[in-house]
Amino acid sequence: MNFASVRIITDNVDGLAEFYEKVTGIAAERPAPVFAEIVMPSGTLAIGHSQTAQLFGADSAVAASNRTVIIELRVEDIEAEYARLKPWVDQWVQEPTTMPWGNRSMLLRDPDGNLINLFEPVSEAAIERFKDR
């Protein structure tokens, strides 16, 4: 089995696609006006309009209502990413902080309020843990 993607359901596909393009530096692929994908080597971040969620059943997913999932993106240099993103990110949750498990992390929210953790492994153990991922 291979991990394929995480999909965010939104009423603002264009806005979220633009936001994640800025965060990742990757242009979104747009196979349909109601759908976008940020394709990375490790997996895909999909963005679907709330209209598409109706195909899975009424109220199966509700836009902008997530408070349980954290989208995590590993970066090469957390301090450089913080400096790059700080001028235009509206919702910071945590500035770069070294966590007990050895990652240096910063947390922010996308325009729909979804939590994003950008992190860099910095301890020897964390670097070792992520070397093959």
Side-chain angles (χ1 to χ4, degrees):
M1 185 179 301
N2 289 316
F3 181 79
S5 69
V6 168
R7 186 180 315 182
I8 299 172
I9 297 299
T10 184
D11 290 328
N12 182 11
V13 174
D14 293 338
L16 279 191
E18 181 181 337
F19 178 86
Y20 283 101
E21 285 176 330
K22 286 181 182 177
V23 168
T24 64
I26 298 169
E29 296 178 16
R30 298 295 299 264
V34 294
F35 194 74
E37 294 179 312
I38 305 290
V39 179
M40 297 171 268
S42 56
T44 297
L45 179 62
I47 302 165
H49 194 278
S50 57
Q51 295 168 343
T52 65
Q54 298 307 309
L55 299 171
F56 305 126
D59 297 323
S60 60
V62 179
S65 63
N66 173 38
R67 290 291 186 200
T68 59
V69 173
I70 303 172
I71 298 166
E72 298 190 304
L73 302 168
R74 189 174 72 217
V75 300
E76 292 292 323
D77 183 341
I78 196 73
E79 300 302 332
E81 292 298 325
Y82 180 66
R84 181 178 71 85
L85 298 174
K86 188 168 176 61
W88 62 267
V89 170
D90 292 330
Q91 297 182 59
W92 287 99
V93 176
Q94 180 182 68
E95 294 182 355
T97 303
T98 301
M99 303 309 234
W101 45 89
N103 291 339
R104 189 144 174 82
S105 298
M106 63 183 181
L107 292 115
L108 55 125
R109 292 197 185 277
D110 73 15
D112 276 8
N114 298 301
L115 192 58
I116 305 164
N117 175 30
L118 276 68
F119 73 95
E120 173 190 359
V122 293
S123 74
E124 236 177 84
I127 292 167
E128 178 67 22
R129 191 169 54 251
F130 283 96
K131 75 176 186 182
D132 295 326
R133 295 191 208 175

